[in-house]
Amino acid sequence: MRIPLFTSKTLASVVAAGFLFFACDPKGKSEEEVSETVSIDEEELNRSKAQIGEGLSQIKNWHSHWSNELGELGPEQFELMMTDSINPMEMPERNPILKDDPLFPYQFPHPAGNGTIDIYSYKVEAQDALDEPFLNPDSEVVWYREDGMKERLLFMGPSGMFEDGMWLNEQEFLVFGFFQEEVGYRPMAWLINVEDHELKQFRFSKVSQNYEPQSYINAKIKQVDLG
């Protein structure tokens, strides 16, 4: 069954409520308050852009989806917006997304078996008890570790969305998505070091004024088996 998604009108009204993006920093500061870029050396910046390039080559659907909107996306077109430390919200909770859950195929298992990262279950409500699945306005990136602990690594309100991601190695996870600005919808990339709890946030150089916010998830999560 196709997931019914927010209409653009509905999403726009929620965005207008004024929620801001939060990167789960220790003081819960908004993006506007933490967006000052902390300089990193050229070698580290080049490595980060190479990782974004790896993500663009591996997550072909996201790459082509946004290329259709803005033209070819290249890692050199992503600029560092900020670096920050992450103070994860950690609590005892095992991964509730089991094999019979319709969202199970869309999780990201750790390369060495240390749990899984989930970017969709907070966004997509598709439990058996629901008459119709729907999208929440907010998004989060969580890591369900093998030891039974859950870490919230990133959170974003309705002015953006986490759309896809991949493990780059055992320590680093890459998230792609977008942020809605006054000028339009801008592709974003977040590099998360889950061991050092460090974040690098990159933004693309162009924006789309006509992007449908739910379009990528609508295309990716095509079928939901409600049993």
Side-chain angles (χ1 to χ4, degrees):
M1 178 180 177
R2 192 80 170 189
I3 299 177
L5 301 175
F6 280 174
T7 65
S8 298
K9 182 177 179 180
T10 302
L11 185 59
S13 65
V14 178
V15 170
F19 289 94
L20 295 174
F21 165 78
F22 288 86
C24 292
D25 67 294
K27 298 180 182 178
K29 295 175 288 186
S30 72
E31 183 185 23
E32 292 179 351
E33 293 173 310
V34 297
S35 60
E36 181 179 354
T37 300
V38 177
S39 57
I40 60 177
D41 62 40
E42 184 176 359
E43 183 178 357
E44 184 179 356
L45 181 60
N46 290 338
R47 178 178 179 272
S48 296
K49 290 197 174 186
Q51 290 177 314
I52 293 173
E54 180 182 354
L56 294 174
S57 66
Q58 294 292 324
I59 310 176
K60 298 181 184 298
N61 288 340
W62 193 85
H63 181 207
S64 61
H65 181 80
W66 276 98
S67 292
N68 289 335
E69 288 284 330
L70 297 173
E72 181 64 22
L73 272 71
E76 70 283 353
Q77 295 167 286
F78 283 84
E79 63 175 339
L80 181 64
M81 190 174 181
M82 72 167 190
T83 66
D84 202 5
S85 59
I86 298 173
N87 183 12
M89 294 175 59
E90 182 175 318
M91 64 192 71
E93 182 179 339
R94 292 199 173 274
N95 187 0
I97 310 300
L98 305 178
K99 289 185 178 181
D100 60 345
D101 191 291
L103 296 178
F104 181 81
Y106 304 103
Q107 295 197 309
F108 304 92
H110 187 268
N114 189 4
T116 186
I117 277 187
D118 169 44
I119 69 173
Y120 297 120
S121 65
Y122 195 87
K123 169 62 68 176
V124 181
E125 295 285 354
Q127 297 89 357
D128 289 345
L130 294 174
D131 292 333
E132 291 185 349
F134 65 93
L135 287 185
N136 278 316
D138 302 333
S139 306
E140 70 174 5
V141 177
V142 296
W143 181 21
Y144 291 105
R145 302 198 314 248
E146 190 66 21
D147 62 3
M149 297 297 289
K150 168 187 172 181
E151 292 187 24
R152 175 189 271 183
L153 300 172
L154 291 175
F155 176 84
M156 181 155 51
S159 51
M161 190 182 300
F162 303 122
E163 295 181 307
D164 217 324
M166 62 175 285
W167 285 99
L168 296 161
N169 50 59
E170 294 181 15
Q171 293 80 39
E172 295 172 291
F173 190 81
L174 169 66
V175 184
F176 283 131
F178 70 86
F179 192 78
Q180 184 181 8
E181 304 174 1
E182 290 185 3
V183 293
Y185 296 86
R186 185 184 300 276
M188 303 288 293
W190 296 266
L191 288 167
I192 306 169
N193 189 310
V194 298
E195 280 199 356
D196 297 337
H197 292 105
E198 294 177 348
L199 169 71
K200 298 185 186 77
Q201 180 173 285
F202 288 80
R203 65 180 180 182
F204 193 62
S205 58
K206 301 177 183 178
V207 299
S208 169
Q209 295 182 345
N210 302 310
Y211 185 66
E212 291 293 333
Q214 72 277 10
S215 57
Y216 184 77
I217 286 186
N218 194 26
K220 182 179 178 70
I221 307 178
K222 296 179 180 180
Q223 300 293 328
V224 175
D225 183 10
L226 301 177

